[in-house]
Amino acid sequence: MKILVNFDLCKSNAVCMASAPEIFEVRDDGYLYILQEEPDETHRAAVEEAVRLCPTRAITVEDQAL
Amino acid sequence: MKKVVIVGASLAGLRCAEALRREGFTGALTMVGAEAHLPYDRPPLSKEFLTAEFEEDRLALRIEPYEELNAELILGQRAQSLSLEARRITLSSGEELGFDGLVIATGAAPRTLPIADGISGVMTLRTLDDALRLKGALADRKRICVIGAGFIGSEVAATARGLGLDVTVLEAGDQPMLRGVGPIIGETLAELHRSNGVDLRTGVKIESLEQIGESVRVNISGESSLECDLVLLAVGAAPVTQWLEGSGLALDDGVVCDATLLAAPGVVCAGDVARWPNPLFDGESMRVEHWTNAVEQGVHAAKRLLSDDDSAPPFSTVPFVWSEQYGIKIQAAGRFSGEDRMEVVHSGTDDARLVAIFERHGRISGVIGFSEPRRVMQYRRLIGAGAPFDEALAASL
Ligand SMILES: Cc1cc2nc3c(=O)[nH]c(=O)nc-3n(C[C@H](O)[C@H](O)[C@H](O)COP(=O)(O)OP(=O)(O)OC[C@H]3O[C@@H](n4cnc5c(N)ncnc54)[C@H](O)[C@@H]3O)c2cc1C
Ligand code: SF4
């Protein structure tokens, strides 16, 4: 899976970081960093939770064709 | 389970519907919503939406087509009553809907005050229609008086200042927003308003309101009265449970559920309306009026409804809320009060950055942060893990 964040929508409130800290990190500069853009499947549940809980619906997951 | 009815077509209800389908429910699904709009997002209503540039279509809670949800949406209709025995609800139109499974997600509605009765210049803010009215009023009036400095009152005050209005905020308690969390946080919150030009008055008792032509006069006990063009009444919200009176469900400032969000066999609750014992806080009975909670409970309620065994897991969460005022992110998680030990664990060079954590029973129970989303989330994880307070103090996040 590939993680996409629409940075025009993202408000850096770090809610995604609570669900998937290995993937998302908001740093002291106030910006969100995607730590792994193409994480393996073990992160799927956490990433899907982050997608749901992102208050601005800024995160999408793209599934590459196998 | 063949037929599920969800009452309340907003955040908790919609996320529950989506989770039901994700979890494999293929039966008939009906969502009943009192508002005529498709589910939309409320947090922007007190913030960006009130300013010009934010359009209504950005509020949509679902981006994917509704057809994919394969649900019947009955909008602009209220559920009027519930019969648990007959397993059906009656709508305001008189129509009856039978169900095997019921999801109660009717949220909360603004509280009002008797002194506001009949005063045309008084508004409340909960719905898109409220927000459209308020937006119109903010665009052509100069002086707003906000009664109640909770989250919504504080946010509207900040937004109105940004639009150039004169803003007075009247609060009965001794500090805005996070009431009773002690002087350090209270002063920071108050200073945020004051330094941005808001006339914030705390410990105020309002005696009466008078409509005088286009303006409203606010009569304050022991002070001279105040004239404004518009009053926003923001004195909190109450769970919408009137329609459930007499149904046999336990109602006590919300619908009382068990730890799994079950209110009766085949009946679950989610969002602002739900009261449940939260295992993460020694089973403390909670009702949470925050966005992420509505999503999490919507998902949990769906799974609970589909699992008909008693071994279903409880719903546990560290309540979390964010707010935005004057460009500052204010976030709070967990439980805290003025009685708990509080330590400031991080403060920036300017007042705008601050993180404080709270202790209960030797553990970290709460965190409040200003412009510190990363640290708030990290402390929130420690709260969820039941970490000892000393460990949290030493963590130097
Ligand atoms: C202006 C505003 C700003 C906010 N900002 C934030 C924020 O910054 N951060 C945060 O964490 N939270 C915020 N919140 C809170 C958050 O929006 C709520 O927690 C969330 O909307 C709760 O979702 P819900 O689905 O439980 O209830 P609601 O969103 O209240 O939805 C309940 C729905 O049920 C409908 N309904 C009620 N009774 C019936 C009936 N009998 N039959 C049919 N339908 C019925 C209602 O019309 C409503 O559409 C804000 C709320 C408001 C109003
Ligand atoms: S939860 Fe959404 S808005 Fe918040 S930091 Fe993550 S991507 Fe950005």
Side-chain angles (χ1 to χ4, degrees):
Chain A
M1 70 187 140
K2 189 167 160 41
I3 312 276
L4 299 168
V5 171
N6 181 339
F7 286 94
D8 291 335
L9 298 179
C10 172
K11 295 194 124 198
S12 300
N13 49 34
V15 177
C16 51
M17 208 176 139
S19 300
E22 282 107 2
I23 315 291
F24 302 103
E25 184 177 304
V26 172
R27 301 210 179 127
D28 286 348
D29 61 9
Y31 290 103
L32 169 70
Y33 291 81
I34 307 174
L35 304 179
Q36 298 181 52
E37 295 200 356
E38 296 187 28
D40 61 57
E41 286 299 311
T42 57
H43 295 287
R44 182 168 288 273
V47 168
E48 284 181 350
E49 184 182 280
V51 169
R52 266 199 307 276
L53 290 176
C54 168
T56 64
R57 298 173 293 288
I59 312 171
T60 44
V61 174
E62 207 170 75
D63 282 300
Q64 291 100 332
L66 293 173
Chain B
M1 190 152 300
K2 291 204 185 74
K3 186 165 173 36
V4 171
V5 172
I6 299 177
V7 184
S10 181
L11 185 59
L14 176 63
R15 294 299 179 247
C16 183
E18 292 169 343
L20 282 167
R21 290 304 188 208
R22 235 182 2 255
E23 295 293 317
F25 174 66
T26 53
L29 181 57
T30 305
M31 253 169 89
V32 183
E35 297 180 69
H37 309 280
L38 282 170
Y40 60 87
D41 206 20
R42 294 183 206 279
L45 299 183
S46 48
K47 311 177 186 77
E48 315 83 314
F49 183 70
L50 295 176
T51 63
E53 70 268 27
F54 200 92
E55 296 296 327
E56 209 172 304
D57 54 6
R58 280 186 59 185
L59 296 174
L61 274 178
R62 185 175 162 86
I63 300 153
E64 303 81 3
Y66 272 87
E67 296 83 77
E68 284 172 19
L69 194 57
N70 188 19
E72 183 193 7
L73 264 70
I74 304 180
L75 299 177
Q77 287 279 331
R78 211 159 242 293
Q80 212 109 48
S81 63
L82 160 69
S83 166
L84 283 177
E85 253 152 60
R87 299 202 84 69
R88 68 164 179 253
I89 59 167
T90 307
L91 304 186
S92 39
S93 62
E95 190 187 341
E96 296 188 333
L97 292 178
F99 62 81
D100 304 315
L102 177 70
V103 180
I104 297 172
T106 43
R111 294 180 199 273
T112 53
L113 296 175
I115 53 166
D117 286 352
I119 310 287
S120 59
V122 175
M123 299 185 178
T124 54
L125 176 58
R126 180 81 194 177
T127 65
L128 175 55
D129 294 344
D130 294 340
L132 287 167
R133 257 195 307 276
L134 180 60
K135 188 174 186 166
L138 291 175
D140 65 18
R141 310 215 191 146
K142 294 195 169 58
R143 301 163 301 173
I144 180 172
C145 174
V146 177
I147 299 180
F151 276 89
I152 290 175
S154 295
E155 289 176 356
V156 171
T159 309
R161 274 306 295 148
L163 291 168
L165 279 85
D166 284 344
V167 181
T168 306
V169 176
L170 303 175
E171 165 61 40
D174 60 358
Q175 63 187 52
M177 269 214 343
L178 301 157
R179 284 173 198 132
V181 285
I184 295 180
I185 303 289
E187 269 313 303
T188 309
L189 289 165
E191 192 43 37
L192 203 53
H193 286 302
R194 295 196 172 116
S195 62
N196 282 284
V198 169
D199 178 4
L200 169 69
R201 308 187 197 175
T202 53
V204 166
K205 187 177 180 311
I206 298 165
E207 248 147 31
S208 62
L209 301 175
E210 293 170 75
Q211 184 77 43
I212 302 171
E214 293 280 278
S215 16
V216 181
R217 178 176 295 160
V218 183
N219 297 309
I220 305 168
S221 171
E223 283 183 43
S224 54
S225 58
L226 193 129
E227 299 241 342
C228 59
D229 311 313
L230 167 68
V231 171
L232 179 79
L233 195 59
V235 291
V240 178
T241 56
Q242 294 83 343
W243 67 285
L244 296 168
E245 272 160 25
S247 67
L249 292 181
L251 306 178
D252 178 12
D253 182 36
V255 181
V256 181
C257 307
D258 71 8
T260 71
L261 301 182
L262 194 76
V267 180
V268 290
C269 297
D272 286 12
V273 76
R275 171 169 291 286
W276 92 110
N278 188 342
L280 266 186
F281 296 85
D282 306 317
E284 182 185 333
S285 169
M286 291 187 188
R287 189 174 68 78
V288 176
E289 290 182 7
H290 304 326
W291 197 96
T292 52
N293 180 69
V295 177
E296 290 174 331
Q297 287 194 337
V299 173
H300 190 95
K303 292 182 182 162
R304 178 64 187 95
L305 198 58
L306 297 178
S307 78
D308 35 26
D309 67 273
D310 293 333
S311 60
F315 177 75
S316 50
T317 190
V318 180
F320 165 74
V321 63
W322 80 91
S323 175
E324 225 176 302
Q325 294 159 34
Y326 313 103
I328 308 271
K329 286 187 179 61
I330 303 162
Q331 299 179 310
R335 301 313 253 179
F336 39 77
S337 82
E339 267 104 74
D340 304 320
R341 173 177 168 205
M342 183 192 95
E343 297 287 342
V344 173
V345 285
H346 184 82
S347 63
T349 40
D350 48 16
D351 291 348
R353 281 180 177 242
L354 181 90
V355 183
I357 59 174
F358 294 79
E359 177 193 344
R360 271 185 201 180
H361 314 302
R363 288 178 289 169
I364 172 173
S365 65
V367 56
I368 296 174
F370 292 77
S371 300
E372 287 285 352
R374 175 178 68 80
R375 290 190 171 87
V376 169
M377 283 308 160
Q378 286 170 328
Y379 285 110
R380 184 181 182 218
R381 284 179 83 89
L382 292 181
I383 299 168
F389 188 71
D390 293 338
E391 201 174 283
L393 263 185
S396 67
L397 298 173

